[in-house]
Amino acid sequence: QVQLQESGGGLVRPGESLKLSCRTSENIFDFNSLGWYRQAPGKEREFVASINLSVLTDYGDSVWGRFTISRDAAQKKLYLQMNSLKPEDTAGYYCRAKVLARRYWGQGAQVTVSS
């Protein structure tokens, strides 16, 4: 069973930065892709960023140019560097792993951006 564990969430002020981590129980190269999603209260889950086996990355429109996804295969970790944070970035952030048709999710890390 694939396990994903997020960490690094917290409370920051607008304009500040935060880096999320996701530790995987499996070899990074076992996954077709890894990604981050977020969900704010009362809203649907939203795509944030993804990275595939070819290290191609993709980003949601609302985070383009501010967030950076990366991975460390040796550490079995996925990262999300979040810069220039805005109050509208406040949400639970979830790590997702994709293996063929299967999707696995972490339990989430809360990010709150408030002055």
Side-chain angles (χ1 to χ4, degrees):
Q1 179 70 15
V2 173
Q3 294 184 341
L4 306 171
Q5 181 63 58
E6 300 93 340
S7 62
L11 171 64
V12 295
R13 297 183 185 278
E16 293 184 342
S17 299
L18 202 60
K19 187 173 185 178
L20 299 180
S21 299
C22 173
R23 185 177 63 187
T24 70
S25 61
E26 310 298 321
N27 188 315
I28 290 266
F29 300 114
D30 289 341
F31 303 118
N32 297 114
S33 71
L34 290 163
W36 290 95
Y37 286 71
R38 67 187 184 186
Q39 188 167 19
K43 295 187 177 181
E44 294 188 353
R45 190 164 290 189
E46 174 189 17
F47 169 73
V48 175
S50 66
I51 184 167
N52 68 9
L53 282 173
S54 301
V55 204
L56 292 175
T57 59
D58 191 19
Y59 296 91
D61 290 342
S62 60
V63 306
W64 192 276
R66 300 187 297 124
F67 290 11
T68 302
I69 190 170
S70 62
R71 68 184 194 190
D72 184 329
Q75 295 291 327
K76 295 185 181 180
K77 284 188 173 180
L78 177 72
Y79 299 102
L80 184 69
Q81 177 66 47
M82 304 182 291
N83 298 329
S84 302
L85 282 162
K86 305 175 181 180
E88 51 263 45
D89 294 318
T90 296
Y93 283 72
Y94 298 87
C95 177
R96 190 211 71 179
K98 178 182 175 184
V99 181
L100 298 178
R102 295 183 176 182
R103 308 289 189 271
Y104 302 92
W105 295 89
Q107 293 187 337
Q110 179 65 33
V111 172
T112 302
V113 185
S114 175
S115 56

